[in-house]
């Protein structure tokens, strides 16, 4: 009976992950088309709609876990997702070969990632993330967003400018699909198209919500049946599941030759996970974790320092380094399970 229950929950977990991926993709695709209709530039869409959309699974799962009182799963999902992004997603990108990275963006977003990670570590020293700390996180996110717009987005001329980053187009199209075209005439801006996309936004959000509920519920039951803590399951399986949109976007961008954009997607999503997702969840309710969380957070701090230092230097990541990054996540998973068994 127990074995059957585990198999059933594993199936529900897989369905939840699939629903998160499909819902996030539908949500982002429709949102991108709506943004294009009202004249948003490709770069503006990339740093707002795409980043928020690919983080929607983390938002839903973390908030859901926080509201039902599973703080370890909520925080573990955020920390684990960032580790997965930096190790597996960025590692996979590096395996495809060296990539160019805009140094200005790296300096701005790299510093933001480092600040967000250190703020997360400081908040968790007492094994709690309070609403006050959540408010600070959201304030930092607001400041980061303002700086990003001022330093990286010029909405006045970008739509028609020949200097718009082609990589931004590639990322948007990789998520939105080939039908996410710019409708430039008034006749095209009204009618069934916008109504369809608004409906798709609602449907996509609903699918993400259902997927998040399935993922959280099945993960908690699996953890308890298998004797695992919510922290371990949240920082491994759940984190990998909620990171599927970032992984998919990065792989598609790699296939299109936009390797540099994959780095921006990973860094930007990681900043939003800590400051936005964890900030919102802790603002709703205090989040409490156990002592094992400290070594995982320490692992994240070290990995973040290494990645930011490598990108800041302007030196390209090699395939061998990409393999090492991916292997570091496998090692972390193994150590997490060994700590439970031990």
């Amino acid at each position: 009976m127990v074995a059957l229950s585990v198999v059933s929950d594993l199936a529900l977990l897989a369905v939840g992950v699939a629903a998160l991926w499909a819902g996030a993709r539908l949500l982002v695709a429709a949102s991108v088309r709506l943004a294009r209709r009202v004249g948003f530039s490709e770069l503006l869409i990339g740093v707002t709609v795409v980043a928020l959309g690919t983080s929607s699974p983390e938002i839903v799962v973390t908030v859901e876990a926080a509201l039902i009182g599973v703080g370890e799963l909520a925080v573990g999902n955020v920390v684990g997702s960032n580790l997965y992004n930096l190790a597996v997603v960025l590692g996979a990108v590096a395996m495809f070969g060296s990539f160019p990275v805009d140094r200005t963006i790296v300096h701005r977003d790299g510093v933001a990632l480092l600040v967000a990670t250190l703020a997360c570590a400081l908040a968790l020293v007492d094994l709690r993330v309070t609403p006050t700390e959540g408010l600070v996180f959201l304030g930092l996110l607001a400041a980061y967003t303002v700086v990003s717009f001022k330093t990286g987005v010029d909405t006045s001329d970008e739509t028609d400018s020949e200097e718009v980053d082609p990589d931004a187009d590639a990322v948007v199209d990789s998520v939105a699909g080939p039908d996410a075209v710019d409708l430039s005439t008034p006749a095209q801006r009204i009618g069934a198209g916008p109504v369809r996309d608004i409906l798709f936004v609602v449907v996509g959000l609903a699918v993400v919500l259902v997927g998040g509920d399935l993922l959280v519920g099945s993960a908690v039951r699996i953890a308890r049946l298998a004797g695992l803590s919510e922290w371990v399951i949240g920082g491994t399986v759940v984190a990998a599941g909620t990171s599927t949109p970032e992984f998919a976007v990065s792989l598609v961008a790699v296939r299109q030759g936009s390797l540099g954009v994959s780095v921006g997607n990973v860094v930007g999503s990681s900043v939003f996970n800590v400051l936005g997702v964890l900030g919102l969840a802790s603002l709703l309710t205090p989040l409490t974790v156990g002592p094992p969380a400290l070594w995982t957070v320490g692992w994240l701090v070290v990995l973040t320092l290494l990645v930011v230092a490598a990108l800041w230097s302007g030196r390209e990541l090699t395939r061998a380094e990409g393999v090492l990054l991916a292997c570091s996540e496998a090692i972390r998973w193994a150590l997490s399970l060994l700590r439970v068994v031990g």
Side-chain angles (χ1 to χ4, degrees):
M1 182 64 71
V2 173
L4 182 61
S5 178
V6 171
V7 171
S8 175
D9 283 325
L10 285 173
L12 288 175
L13 188 144
V15 171
V17 171
L20 287 174
W21 182 86
R25 186 175 179 85
L26 183 62
L27 175 64
V28 174
S31 299
V32 166
R33 287 191 293 266
L34 287 171
R36 282 177 167 172
R37 283 189 172 93
V38 298
F40 280 17
S41 70
E42 301 296 342
L43 183 55
L44 181 58
I45 293 171
V47 299
T48 55
V49 176
V50 173
L52 180 61
T54 55
S55 291
S56 58
E58 282 90 349
I59 298 173
V60 171
V61 168
T62 300
V63 170
E64 169 84 9
L67 291 178
I68 65 174
V70 192
E72 287 204 331
L73 194 149
V75 181
N77 176 48
V78 170
V79 174
S81 291
N82 277 18
L83 283 164
Y84 189 89
N85 283 343
L86 295 175
V88 178
V89 180
L90 188 58
V93 170
M95 290 180 201
F96 281 87
S98 59
F99 49 82
V101 181
D102 188 309
R103 177 161 295 196
T104 301
I105 294 177
V106 169
H107 286 184
R108 182 194 65 209
D109 298 341
V111 169
L113 176 59
L114 190 56
V115 169
T117 303
L118 292 176
C120 177
L122 289 174
L124 286 171
V125 166
D126 60 353
L127 303 179
R128 285 170 54 87
V129 185
T130 66
T132 300
E133 290 166 334
L135 190 60
V136 172
F137 284 176
L138 292 175
L140 290 173
L141 178 62
Y144 168 63
T145 302
V146 170
V147 171
S148 296
F149 271 72
K150 286 185 175 181
T151 60
V153 178
D154 179 7
T155 58
S156 61
D157 300 316
E158 279 181 346
T159 304
D160 298 321
S161 174
E162 295 180 355
E163 296 181 358
V164 173
D165 185 357
D167 281 352
D169 292 351
V171 165
V172 172
D173 290 332
S174 71
V175 181
D179 59 336
V181 294
D182 183 17
L183 303 182
S184 57
T185 67
Q188 290 173 314
R189 292 177 186 269
I190 59 175
V195 174
R196 178 201 63 179
D197 288 330
I198 291 173
L199 177 61
F200 282 177
V201 167
V202 174
V203 172
L205 181 58
V207 172
V208 170
L209 290 171
V210 171
D213 185 65
L214 288 174
L215 183 61
V216 171
S218 58
V220 170
R221 289 190 295 271
I222 290 172
R224 290 171 179 171
L225 287 172
L228 300 174
S229 68
E230 281 88 1
W231 176 264
V232 171
I233 199 74
T236 54
V237 177
V238 174
T242 57
S243 293
T244 52
E246 287 93 339
F247 193 55
V249 168
S250 293
L251 288 185
V252 173
V254 166
R255 193 169 66 237
Q256 295 179 344
S258 303
L259 297 177
V261 172
S262 298
V263 180
N265 176 49
V266 168
V267 174
S269 294
S270 297
V271 172
F272 185 82
N273 284 344
V274 173
L275 300 182
V277 178
L278 190 58
L280 176 61
S282 58
L283 188 63
L284 297 174
T285 181
L287 303 174
T288 304
V289 298
L294 295 178
W295 83 270
T296 308
V297 174
W299 188 291
L300 175 61
V301 171
V302 172
L303 183 63
T304 302
L305 282 169
L306 292 175
V307 170
V308 171
L311 296 178
W312 184 285
S313 69
R315 187 179 58 81
E316 298 174 343
L317 292 177
T318 65
R319 287 186 174 89
E321 289 169 335
V323 172
L324 289 176
L325 282 174
C327 288
S328 73
E329 184 66 354
I331 293 172
R332 183 182 71 85
W333 280 41
L335 290 176
S336 297
L337 295 176
L338 286 175
R339 288 174 66 90
V340 173
V341 174

